């Protein structure tokens, strides 16, 4: 197989004829409930380039929603998976165990925030990890209530739908949802009441006070098993809470015997320019959920946390047929080795600097860009009506996204109001690709708003 050059190359319109034919086959056999953002069918990939069935080389600014941080088909992941799949494909760790599972748990103990003794349990998807974190928190505390935040995203299973904030498309028509899930206001600086005249410290303090009042009035501290938070919210709009807010929430949880669960499924494993986003504020969560970037593209998720909390569950209480499958674990070991040896924490910070510089230039031209935010290679711009009017602008966001797609740049949107244009490039993507992608975004703004 020939190597894939790290360059964008368009041979047909996007999607091309072969992709269109596949998409017609898809419509005939795949549920319409499974949507597709850009119907270019991908055949091969490497680094930051996706090759579709028509031979087009697309540039990847999404990493399959923050998964292929080490690049697609990353060499160490591929080698490790190949070896593992030839040696052993499956036993079920609960039946007869194997080393790779233990080795992943060792890496998680070393890399996640805090130097305390930790334990992990492995699962298949982010949602499954979140569900298990709640099960563990309830067992340890003997309490039932879980507090999640406005704009939160925690998954699509029944319990995690209850924890996810946004109705359409995630929850609409799918209820009834799990009980004992409560929602508190999020520290969303751009949209905090009166934000224009308030310092970030004031917003952090007000948002924290509002959270405390909600928990006190609507849940009761002593009923509360866990507070779950994405240190930077993902699907909800790449919302970065003001400095200090997460620390206050963490301290409050400790004071009241409530477990803090950091959902780092999207933010984890170098994405935000630290191993974990909690590290940025020196916060040590009691439990942390991980998935996505951890295994370089194979399905693997984990709950990692304080040994006393994790070990409070009765033997046999946690598990599943495939959780911590050996091939997925081998992929994770290859991905983590890549992150270490290629210093992807440092690379994410370089990507932040490169993007923020270019996005600031864009913002000076277009007042619909109300905010540039994010950390590392988890960055976004929020689009509004402009000229100080914060009315969300999902129309322009969708049009800009569609233009990027037509040019072979795979981009994603997010946000409760559908008006956030987000960037999650593979951390190994070279500068020339990132700059070319940003040129396309410039052109998209010119085309849609110029
Ligand atoms: N927690 C913070 O970001 C997954 C979802 C895409 P799963 N986010 C992408 C979609 O539309 O389904 C996510 C997340 C955070 C939990 C999850 C859930 O992870 O592996 O998709 O179950």
């Amino acid at each position: 197989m020939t190597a894939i050059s790290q360059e964008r190359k368009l041979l047909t319109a996007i999607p091309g004829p072969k992709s269109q034919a596949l998409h017609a086959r898809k419509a005939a056999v795949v549920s319409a409930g499974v949507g597709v953002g850009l119907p270019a069918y991908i055949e091969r990939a490497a680094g930051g380039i996706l090759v579709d069935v028509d031979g087009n080389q697309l540039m990847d600014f999404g990493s399959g929603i923050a998964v292929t941080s080490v690049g697609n088909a990353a060499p160490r992941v591929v080698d490790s998976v190949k070896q593992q799949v030839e040696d052993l494909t499956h036993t079920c760790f609960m039946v007869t165990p194997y080393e790779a599972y233990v080795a992943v748990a060792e890496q998680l103990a070393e890399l996640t925030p805090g130097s305390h003794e930790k334990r992990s349990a492995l699962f298949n998807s982010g949602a499954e990890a979140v569900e298990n974190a709640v099960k563990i928190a309830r067992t340890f505390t003997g309490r039932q209530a879980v507090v999640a935040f406005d704009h939160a995203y925690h998954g699509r299973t029944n319990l995690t739908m209850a924890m996810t904030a946004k109705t359409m498309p995630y929850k609409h028509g799918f209820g009834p949802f799990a009980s004992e899930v409560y929602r508190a206001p999020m520290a969303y600086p751009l949209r905090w009441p009166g934000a224009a005249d308030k310092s970030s410290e004031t917003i952090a303090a007000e948002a924290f006070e509002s959270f405390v009042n909600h928990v006190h009035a609507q849940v009761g501290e002593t009923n509360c098993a866990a507070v779950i938070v994405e240190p930077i919210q993902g699907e909800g709009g790449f919302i970065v809470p003001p400095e200090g807010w997460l620390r206050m929430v963490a301290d409050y949880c400790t004071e009241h015997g409530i477990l803090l669960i950091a959902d780092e499924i999207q933010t984890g494993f170098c994405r935000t320019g630290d191993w974990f986003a909690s590290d940025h504020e020196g916060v040590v969560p009691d439990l942390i959920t991980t998935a996505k970037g951890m295994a370089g593209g194979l399905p693997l998720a984990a709950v990692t946390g304080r040994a006393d909390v994790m070990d409070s569950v009765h033997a046999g209480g946690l598990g599943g047929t495939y959780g911590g499958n050996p091939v997925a674990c081998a992929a994770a070991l290859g991905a983590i080795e890549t992150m270490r040896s290629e210093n992807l924490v440092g690379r994410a910070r370089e990507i932040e600097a490169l993007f923020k510089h270019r996005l600031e230039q864009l913002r000076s031209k277009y007042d619909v860009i109300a905010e540039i935010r994010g950390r590392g290679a988890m960055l976004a711009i929020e689009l509004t009506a402009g000229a100080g009017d914060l009315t969300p602008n999902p129309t322009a966001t969708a049009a800009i996204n569609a233009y990027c797609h037509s040019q072979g740049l795979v981009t994603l949107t997010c946000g409760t109001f559908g008006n956030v244009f987000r960037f999650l490039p593979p951390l190994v993507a070279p500068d020339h690709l990132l700059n070319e992608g940003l040129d396309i975004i410039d052109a998209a703004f010119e085309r849609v708003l110029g």
Side-chain angles (χ1 to χ4, degrees):
M1 202 181 289
T2 51
I4 297 169
S5 60
Q6 291 299 297
E7 58 176 348
R8 183 177 64 116
K9 203 158 65 185
L10 297 190
L11 306 180
T12 71
I14 306 290
K18 289 184 180 164
S19 277
Q20 289 181 32
L22 275 169
H23 210 46
R25 277 172 61 194
K26 182 246 178 206
V29 290
V30 178
S31 165
V34 182
V36 166
L38 165 56
Y41 283 69
I42 306 303
E43 207 166 51
R44 298 165 57 209
I49 292 289
L50 308 171
V51 186
D52 75 9
V53 287
D54 292 287
N56 299 301
Q57 298 204 168
L58 313 182
M59 196 184 298
D60 188 5
F61 267 20
S63 301
I65 321 191
V67 171
T68 51
S69 299
V70 294
N72 216 303
R76 287 184 189 83
V77 173
V78 172
D79 291 346
S80 179
V81 163
K82 273 186 180 162
Q83 187 61 53
Q84 184 64 57
V85 81
E86 281 179 8
D87 290 348
L88 170 73
T89 45
H90 175 81
T91 62
C92 184
F93 191 76
M94 302 183 304
V95 178
T96 46
Y98 41 86
E99 183 180 353
Y101 190 117
V102 179
V104 169
E106 285 167 351
Q107 293 294 323
L108 284 162
E110 187 183 329
L111 294 169
T112 54
S115 55
H116 54 291
E117 204 177 327
K118 296 172 201 158
R119 306 277 187 267
S120 289
L122 304 185
F123 304 97
N124 304 294
S125 68
E128 205 189 341
V130 171
E131 291 236 3
N132 278 280
V134 171
K135 282 159 63 172
I136 295 162
R138 284 178 172 159
T139 304
F140 179 76
T141 59
R143 305 172 179 180
Q144 294 186 347
V146 176
V147 176
F149 289 93
D150 281 336
H151 310 287
Y153 183 93
H154 298 294
R156 294 174 181 264
T157 56
N158 188 263
L159 174 56
T160 59
M161 269 193 294
M163 297 161 75
T164 291
K166 189 177 177 179
T167 296
M168 198 56 149
Y170 307 122
K171 303 166 74 167
H172 178 76
F174 296 152
F177 304 112
S179 59
E180 287 306 312
V181 175
Y182 300 85
R183 196 165 304 289
M186 178 64 190
Y188 186 168
L190 181 70
R191 295 187 179 278
W192 192 256
D197 305 315
K198 289 175 183 165
S199 68
S200 134
E201 291 79 14
T202 303
I203 294 171
E206 288 184 6
F208 173 66
E209 191 189 337
S210 177
F211 155 76
V212 168
N213 291 340
H214 266 70
V215 178
H216 182 70
Q218 297 183 25
V219 193
E221 296 80 359
T222 55
N223 299 318
C224 194
V227 169
I228 183 162
V229 61
E230 299 156 84
I232 296 178
Q233 288 185 318
E235 303 307 301
F238 282 26
I239 299 164
V240 186
E243 198 88 28
W245 176 84
L246 187 63
R247 171 91 266 152
M248 287 191 271
V249 171
D251 291 346
Y252 168 88
C253 287
T254 305
E255 188 187 329
H256 293 282
I258 301 168
L259 297 181
L260 180 70
I261 306 172
D263 181 346
E264 295 240 21
I265 286 165
Q266 190 153 168
T267 49
F269 284 98
C270 307
R271 178 53 59 184
T272 64
D274 283 291
W275 274 95
F276 294 92
S278 301
D279 292 331
H280 184 78
E281 291 211 38
V283 165
V284 179
D286 299 295
L287 296 173
I288 173 167
T289 54
T290 52
K292 289 186 184 278
M294 166 162 59
L298 270 79
L300 186 68
V303 182
T304 301
R306 279 166 46 192
D308 57 334
V309 176
M310 295 294 295
D311 284 344
S312 69
V313 179
H314 50 282
L318 304 174
T321 305
Y322 294 114
N325 166 271
V327 183
C329 286
L333 296 172
I336 292 167
E337 196 188 320
T338 308
M339 292 173 206
R340 288 182 192 275
S341 61
E342 298 189 16
N343 181 22
L344 294 188
V345 161
R347 179 62 188 152
R349 292 181 183 207
E350 284 173 14
I351 292 174
E352 173 177 347
L354 186 153
F355 266 73
K356 283 196 168 160
H357 174 68
R358 295 281 309 261
L359 294 172
E360 287 295 350
Q361 288 174 341
L362 197 62
R363 181 159 70 159
S364 67
K365 285 194 270 179
Y366 300 98
D367 68 1
V368 297
I369 302 179
E371 191 173 52
I372 300 167
R373 60 178 181 248
R375 278 206 298 272
M378 181 173 181
L379 299 163
I381 50 182
E382 176 160 351
L383 274 64
T384 62
D389 178 348
L390 289 182
T391 308
N393 195 341
T395 313
T397 310
I400 288 163
N401 195 43
Y403 179 83
C404 291
H405 289 181
S406 75
Q407 300 305 301
L409 178 65
V410 182
T411 45
L412 302 168
T413 61
C414 63
T416 300
F417 316 110
N419 66 326
V420 179
F421 192 45
R422 60 168 154 172
F423 313 111
L424 291 164
L427 305 179
V428 297
D431 282 1
H432 76 87
L433 267 189
L434 300 178
N435 274 312
E436 195 184 340
L438 286 157
D439 291 343
I440 294 170
I441 290 165
D442 280 349
F445 270 83
E446 179 67 35
R447 179 74 163 249
V448 172
L449 299 162

